[in-house]
Amino acid sequence: MAFIFRLFEKEKLEDSEKTQKLQMLETELTEERKKYEQQMILRDEQIKKLDKELAKALTIDNGRQQRILAEYEDKMYAGAREVEDWKMKAMAMEREKAELARERDQAIEDLRNVESAFSDVHSKYERIKGILKNSRRNQELLEDRDLEMQARLSETEARILEIQNEVRIRLTKYILDVDQIPQPKYL
């Protein structure tokens, strides 16, 4: 309306002209209003139609979105299960790693014990080997001495026999000599 009043002020028209103009403007305005109302009704119908299409599309999209969401949830659940499986596998691997480390440490300790025992056995072997070597040497020495002693014994026995024979011979000679000596007669 302010537009209309400005328009009148500019033109400075008379009242009858103003009334005519005003009526003309009012009719134009009414016609424009009817056009706008018709356009508004058309737009309302289009909006209702679009709302229905949108609701239908949303329903379809909602179903699709729900399917996508369900797939997403399934994938997330599967991913979470996979992560849990990996965690379980990792924990199992850590336990297995710890068990292997314990077994390795035990094997190293056993190896050290075996090496120590082997070292002890080897030193005992070397000691016994030395003892056996000394025993063999002593045995050989004893055998040599035994042979020597047997030889000496044989020699000694032979000499004793010789001496006995010589003594017998001398004794026999002496006895014979004594028997040949005249005996004094004392009585």
Side-chain angles (χ1 to χ4, degrees):
M1 287 267 201
F3 173 75
I4 294 173
F5 287 117
R6 278 192 230 140
L7 193 65
F8 283 125
E9 285 176 7
K10 285 184 181 176
E11 293 182 10
K12 295 190 180 179
L13 297 172
E14 305 258 333
D15 277 343
S16 68
E17 282 179 17
K18 284 182 187 179
T19 314
Q20 252 183 355
K21 276 249 184 195
L22 187 61
Q23 283 177 354
M24 203 166 88
L25 284 174
E26 280 180 4
T27 21
E28 280 179 24
L29 186 63
T30 310
E31 285 176 13
E32 284 292 321
R33 182 181 284 163
K34 283 181 184 177
K35 279 184 189 178
Y36 282 127
E37 283 175 0
Q38 284 177 350
Q39 284 178 354
M40 290 295 276
I41 290 171
L42 284 174
R43 282 193 185 156
D44 282 345
E45 288 174 4
Q46 285 178 346
I47 288 173
K48 284 179 185 178
K49 184 179 175 184
L50 287 174
D51 280 344
K52 285 180 184 178
E53 287 176 9
L54 181 62
K56 184 179 177 182
L58 285 177
T59 305
I60 291 171
D61 281 348
N62 193 17
R64 191 181 317 148
Q65 284 177 354
Q66 286 178 349
R67 279 193 313 264
I68 291 171
L69 184 61
E71 288 175 15
Y72 175 76
E73 286 173 351
D74 289 344
K75 287 183 181 181
M76 288 301 290
Y77 180 71
R81 274 188 305 190
E82 194 172 312
V83 166
E84 285 300 315
D85 289 346
W86 279 105
K87 284 181 183 178
M88 299 276 276
K89 286 179 183 177
M91 287 175 20
M93 289 174 128
E94 284 298 318
R95 284 192 301 269
E96 187 175 336
K97 181 180 172 184
E99 179 66 22
L100 288 173
R102 190 178 56 73
E103 287 176 6
R104 178 201 64 209
D105 293 343
Q106 183 64 42
I108 288 171
E109 184 179 337
D110 291 346
L111 180 63
R112 285 186 187 135
N113 291 339
V114 167
E115 286 175 345
S116 175
F118 180 75
S119 177
D120 289 346
V121 167
H122 184 70
S123 66
K124 287 177 183 177
Y125 168 76
E126 289 297 324
R127 192 167 19 112
I128 290 172
K129 185 176 160 184
I131 290 170
L132 284 174
K133 189 175 181 180
N134 286 337
S135 292
R136 283 189 192 128
R137 198 171 338 132
N138 289 341
Q139 185 177 358
E140 287 172 5
L141 285 173
L142 289 173
E143 286 173 355
D144 289 345
R145 283 198 180 163
D146 186 43
L147 288 174
E148 190 180 307
M149 293 302 256
Q150 284 179 0
R152 280 172 128 186
L153 182 64
S154 294
E155 284 176 19
T156 306
E157 285 178 352
R159 268 187 93 200
I160 288 174
L161 284 175
E162 278 178 27
I163 292 172
Q164 279 179 350
N165 284 334
E166 195 177 316
V167 166
R168 274 191 203 133
I169 292 173
R170 283 186 183 181
L171 252 172
T172 312
K173 212 177 181 187
Y174 178 72
I175 292 176
L176 285 175
D177 282 344
V178 167
D179 280 340
Q180 289 183 2
I181 298 182
Q183 291 200 347
K185 294 185 180 179
Y186 295 104
L187 269 170

PDB file of all heavy atoms in Angstrom, residues 26-42:
ATOM      1  N   GLU A  26      -6.541  -1.536  -7.774  1.00  0.00           N
ATOM      2  CA  GLU A  26      -7.109  -2.573  -6.936  1.00  0.00           C
ATOM      3  C   GLU A  26      -7.510  -3.779  -7.787  1.00  0.00           C
ATOM      4  O   GLU A  26      -7.318  -4.921  -7.398  1.00  0.00           O
ATOM      5  CB  GLU A  26      -8.320  -2.048  -6.166  1.00  0.00           C
ATOM      6  CG  GLU A  26      -7.946  -1.271  -4.961  1.00  0.00           C
ATOM      7  CD  GLU A  26      -9.179  -0.751  -4.210  1.00  0.00           C
ATOM      8  OE1 GLU A  26     -10.315  -1.063  -4.604  1.00  0.00           O
ATOM      9  OE2 GLU A  26      -8.941  -0.083  -3.226  1.00  0.00           O
ATOM     10  N   THR A  27      -8.098  -3.557  -8.968  1.00  0.00           N
ATOM     11  CA  THR A  27      -8.462  -4.658  -9.844  1.00  0.00           C
ATOM     12  C   THR A  27      -7.204  -5.394 -10.328  1.00  0.00           C
ATOM     13  O   THR A  27      -7.173  -6.629 -10.357  1.00  0.00           O
ATOM     14  CB  THR A  27      -9.251  -4.181 -11.086  1.00  0.00           C
ATOM     15  OG1 THR A  27      -9.054  -2.832 -11.343  1.00  0.00           O
ATOM     16  CG2 THR A  27     -10.656  -4.589 -11.065  1.00  0.00           C
ATOM     17  N   GLU A  28      -6.222  -4.616 -10.683  1.00  0.00           N
ATOM     18  CA  GLU A  28      -4.960  -5.259 -11.093  1.00  0.00           C
ATOM     19  C   GLU A  28      -4.385  -6.065  -9.933  1.00  0.00           C
ATOM     20  O   GLU A  28      -3.921  -7.191 -10.109  1.00  0.00           O
ATOM     21  CB  GLU A  28      -3.927  -4.201 -11.521  1.00  0.00           C
ATOM     22  CG  GLU A  28      -4.140  -3.690 -12.910  1.00  0.00           C
ATOM     23  CD  GLU A  28      -3.108  -2.642 -13.274  1.00  0.00           C
ATOM     24  OE1 GLU A  28      -1.984  -2.616 -12.680  1.00  0.00           O
ATOM     25  OE2 GLU A  28      -3.383  -1.854 -14.154  1.00  0.00           O
ATOM     26  N   LEU A  29      -4.501  -5.436  -8.784  1.00  0.00           N
ATOM     27  CA  LEU A  29      -3.972  -6.118  -7.596  1.00  0.00           C
ATOM     28  C   LEU A  29      -4.801  -7.372  -7.308  1.00  0.00           C
ATOM     29  O   LEU A  29      -4.234  -8.418  -6.986  1.00  0.00           O
ATOM     30  CB  LEU A  29      -4.004  -5.150  -6.407  1.00  0.00           C
ATOM     31  CG  LEU A  29      -3.358  -5.642  -5.135  1.00  0.00           C
ATOM     32  CD1 LEU A  29      -1.876  -5.885  -5.340  1.00  0.00           C
ATOM     33  CD2 LEU A  29      -3.561  -4.644  -4.027  1.00  0.00           C
ATOM     34  N   THR A  30      -6.065  -7.334  -7.466  1.00  0.00           N
ATOM     35  CA  THR A  30      -6.925  -8.483  -7.238  1.00  0.00           C
ATOM     36  C   THR A  30      -6.610  -9.564  -8.267  1.00  0.00           C
ATOM     37  O   THR A  30      -6.525 -10.748  -7.919  1.00  0.00           O
ATOM     38  CB  THR A  30      -8.404  -8.083  -7.334  1.00  0.00           C
ATOM     39  OG1 THR A  30      -8.649  -6.946  -6.533  1.00  0.00           O
ATOM     40  CG2 THR A  30      -9.321  -9.194  -6.915  1.00  0.00           C
ATOM     41  N   GLU A  31      -6.443  -9.150  -9.501  1.00  0.00           N
ATOM     42  CA  GLU A  31      -6.103 -10.114 -10.539  1.00  0.00           C
ATOM     43  C   GLU A  31      -4.741 -10.761 -10.236  1.00  0.00           C
ATOM     44  O   GLU A  31      -4.569 -11.981 -10.379  1.00  0.00           O
ATOM     45  CB  GLU A  31      -6.075  -9.426 -11.919  1.00  0.00           C
ATOM     46  CG  GLU A  31      -7.450  -9.119 -12.457  1.00  0.00           C
ATOM     47  CD  GLU A  31      -7.377  -8.337 -13.778  1.00  0.00           C
ATOM     48  OE1 GLU A  31      -6.268  -8.265 -14.371  1.00  0.00           O
ATOM     49  OE2 GLU A  31      -8.399  -7.845 -14.195  1.00  0.00           O
ATOM     50  N   GLU A  32      -3.825  -9.901  -9.867  1.00  0.00           N
ATOM     51  CA  GLU A  32      -2.483 -10.416  -9.504  1.00  0.00           C
ATOM     52  C   GLU A  32      -2.603 -11.370  -8.313  1.00  0.00           C
ATOM     53  O   GLU A  32      -1.953 -12.421  -8.280  1.00  0.00           O
ATOM     54  CB  GLU A  32      -1.539  -9.280  -9.152  1.00  0.00           C
ATOM     55  CG  GLU A  32      -1.017  -8.502 -10.331  1.00  0.00           C
ATOM     56  CD  GLU A  32      -0.093  -9.300 -11.207  1.00  0.00           C
ATOM     57  OE1 GLU A  32       0.738 -10.104 -10.683  1.00  0.00           O
ATOM     58  OE2 GLU A  32      -0.208  -9.192 -12.420  1.00  0.00           O
ATOM     59  N   ARG A  33      -3.454 -10.993  -7.349  1.00  0.00           N
ATOM     60  CA  ARG A  33      -3.631 -11.834  -6.167  1.00  0.00           C
ATOM     61  C   ARG A  33      -4.232 -13.175  -6.592  1.00  0.00           C
ATOM     62  O   ARG A  33      -3.796 -14.231  -6.106  1.00  0.00           O
ATOM     63  CB  ARG A  33      -4.546 -11.149  -5.159  1.00  0.00           C
ATOM     64  CG  ARG A  33      -4.695 -11.986  -3.897  1.00  0.00           C
ATOM     65  CD  ARG A  33      -5.610 -11.356  -2.893  1.00  0.00           C
ATOM     66  NE  ARG A  33      -4.911 -10.272  -2.233  1.00  0.00           N
ATOM     67  CZ  ARG A  33      -5.491  -9.315  -1.543  1.00  0.00           C
ATOM     68  NH1 ARG A  33      -6.798  -9.305  -1.436  1.00  0.00           N
ATOM     69  NH2 ARG A  33      -4.800  -8.404  -0.972  1.00  0.00           N
ATOM     70  N   LYS A  34      -5.222 -13.172  -7.492  1.00  0.00           N
ATOM     71  CA  LYS A  34      -5.814 -14.406  -7.960  1.00  0.00           C
ATOM     72  C   LYS A  34      -4.757 -15.266  -8.672  1.00  0.00           C
ATOM     73  O   LYS A  34      -4.709 -16.485  -8.479  1.00  0.00           O
ATOM     74  CB  LYS A  34      -6.985 -14.111  -8.910  1.00  0.00           C
ATOM     75  CG  LYS A  34      -8.231 -13.680  -8.196  1.00  0.00           C
ATOM     76  CD  LYS A  34      -9.364 -13.430  -9.180  1.00  0.00           C
ATOM     77  CE  LYS A  34     -10.588 -12.904  -8.466  1.00  0.00           C
ATOM     78  NZ  LYS A  34     -11.675 -12.595  -9.381  1.00  0.00           N
ATOM     79  N   LYS A  35      -3.927 -14.598  -9.503  1.00  0.00           N
ATOM     80  CA  LYS A  35      -2.860 -15.335 -10.191  1.00  0.00           C
ATOM     81  C   LYS A  35      -1.914 -15.976  -9.168  1.00  0.00           C
ATOM     82  O   LYS A  35      -1.560 -17.146  -9.279  1.00  0.00           O
ATOM     83  CB  LYS A  35      -2.043 -14.391 -11.087  1.00  0.00           C
ATOM     84  CG  LYS A  35      -2.661 -14.089 -12.393  1.00  0.00           C
ATOM     85  CD  LYS A  35      -1.674 -13.228 -13.184  1.00  0.00           C
ATOM     86  CE  LYS A  35      -2.281 -12.667 -14.439  1.00  0.00           C
ATOM     87  NZ  LYS A  35      -1.347 -11.805 -15.158  1.00  0.00           N
ATOM     88  N   TYR A  36      -1.594 -15.157  -8.183  1.00  0.00           N
ATOM     89  CA  TYR A  36      -0.682 -15.687  -7.152  1.00  0.00           C
ATOM     90  C   TYR A  36      -1.337 -16.800  -6.363  1.00  0.00           C
ATOM     91  O   TYR A  36      -0.698 -17.798  -6.024  1.00  0.00           O
ATOM     92  CB  TYR A  36      -0.208 -14.572  -6.202  1.00  0.00           C
ATOM     93  CG  TYR A  36       0.872 -13.709  -6.805  1.00  0.00           C
ATOM     94  CD1 TYR A  36       0.738 -12.330  -6.840  1.00  0.00           C
ATOM     95  CD2 TYR A  36       2.032 -14.273  -7.323  1.00  0.00           C
ATOM     96  CE1 TYR A  36       1.719 -11.522  -7.382  1.00  0.00           C
ATOM     97  CE2 TYR A  36       3.013 -13.469  -7.872  1.00  0.00           C
ATOM     98  CZ  TYR A  36       2.863 -12.096  -7.903  1.00  0.00           C
ATOM     99  OH  TYR A  36       3.820 -11.309  -8.434  1.00  0.00           O
ATOM    100  N   GLU A  37      -2.651 -16.642  -6.076  1.00  0.00           N
ATOM    101  CA  GLU A  37      -3.337 -17.687  -5.343  1.00  0.00           C
ATOM    102  C   GLU A  37      -3.392 -18.970  -6.167  1.00  0.00           C
ATOM    103  O   GLU A  37      -3.194 -20.070  -5.641  1.00  0.00           O
ATOM    104  CB  GLU A  37      -4.746 -17.232  -4.963  1.00  0.00           C
ATOM    105  CG  GLU A  37      -4.757 -16.285  -3.806  1.00  0.00           C
ATOM    106  CD  GLU A  37      -6.157 -15.739  -3.492  1.00  0.00           C
ATOM    107  OE1 GLU A  37      -7.131 -16.116  -4.184  1.00  0.00           O
ATOM    108  OE2 GLU A  37      -6.245 -14.965  -2.540  1.00  0.00           O
ATOM    109  N   GLN A  38      -3.672 -18.811  -7.498  1.00  0.00           N
ATOM    110  CA  GLN A  38      -3.682 -19.984  -8.367  1.00  0.00           C
ATOM    111  C   GLN A  38      -2.276 -20.634  -8.417  1.00  0.00           C
ATOM    112  O   GLN A  38      -2.139 -21.849  -8.375  1.00  0.00           O
ATOM    113  CB  GLN A  38      -4.153 -19.597  -9.791  1.00  0.00           C
ATOM    114  CG  GLN A  38      -5.643 -19.377  -9.880  1.00  0.00           C
ATOM    115  CD  GLN A  38      -6.055 -18.926 -11.284  1.00  0.00           C
ATOM    116  OE1 GLN A  38      -5.198 -18.599 -12.118  1.00  0.00           O
ATOM    117  NE2 GLN A  38      -7.356 -18.893 -11.532  1.00  0.00           N
ATOM    118  N   GLN A  39      -1.294 -19.740  -8.534  1.00  0.00           N
ATOM    119  CA  GLN A  39       0.082 -20.270  -8.530  1.00  0.00           C
ATOM    120  C   GLN A  39       0.387 -20.958  -7.189  1.00  0.00           C
ATOM    121  O   GLN A  39       1.044 -22.000  -7.151  1.00  0.00           O
ATOM    122  CB  GLN A  39       1.088 -19.141  -8.786  1.00  0.00           C
ATOM    123  CG  GLN A  39       1.142 -18.701 -10.224  1.00  0.00           C
ATOM    124  CD  GLN A  39       2.127 -17.551 -10.428  1.00  0.00           C
ATOM    125  OE1 GLN A  39       2.687 -17.011  -9.467  1.00  0.00           O
ATOM    126  NE2 GLN A  39       2.319 -17.171 -11.693  1.00  0.00           N
ATOM    127  N   MET A  40      -0.117 -20.377  -6.124  1.00  0.00           N
ATOM    128  CA  MET A  40       0.084 -20.967  -4.810  1.00  0.00           C
ATOM    129  C   MET A  40      -0.617 -22.319  -4.714  1.00  0.00           C
ATOM    130  O   MET A  40      -0.068 -23.283  -4.164  1.00  0.00           O
ATOM    131  CB  MET A  40      -0.427 -20.043  -3.703  1.00  0.00           C
ATOM    132  CG  MET A  40       0.386 -18.797  -3.498  1.00  0.00           C
ATOM    133  SD  MET A  40       2.015 -19.173  -2.930  1.00  0.00           S
ATOM    134  CE  MET A  40       1.717 -19.337  -1.220  1.00  0.00           C
ATOM    135  N   ILE A  41      -1.844 -22.414  -5.253  1.00  0.00           N
ATOM    136  CA  ILE A  41      -2.575 -23.679  -5.233  1.00  0.00           C
ATOM    137  C   ILE A  41      -1.803 -24.707  -6.059  1.00  0.00           C
ATOM    138  O   ILE A  41      -1.616 -25.861  -5.631  1.00  0.00           O
ATOM    139  CB  ILE A  41      -4.019 -23.490  -5.770  1.00  0.00           C
ATOM    140  CG1 ILE A  41      -4.832 -22.671  -4.765  1.00  0.00           C
ATOM    141  CG2 ILE A  41      -4.690 -24.828  -6.037  1.00  0.00           C
ATOM    142  CD1 ILE A  41      -6.200 -22.236  -5.295  1.00  0.00           C
ATOM    143  N   LEU A  42      -1.343 -24.278  -7.260  1.00  0.00           N
ATOM    144  CA  LEU A  42      -0.542 -25.175  -8.105  1.00  0.00           C
ATOM    145  C   LEU A  42       0.738 -25.620  -7.375  1.00  0.00           C
ATOM    146  O   LEU A  42       1.108 -26.788  -7.403  1.00  0.00           O
ATOM    147  CB  LEU A  42      -0.180 -24.490  -9.429  1.00  0.00           C
ATOM    148  CG  LEU A  42      -1.296 -24.403 -10.472  1.00  0.00           C
ATOM    149  CD1 LEU A  42      -0.823 -23.578 -11.672  1.00  0.00           C
ATOM    150  CD2 LEU A  42      -1.701 -25.781 -10.941  1.00  0.00           C
TER     151      LEU A  42
END
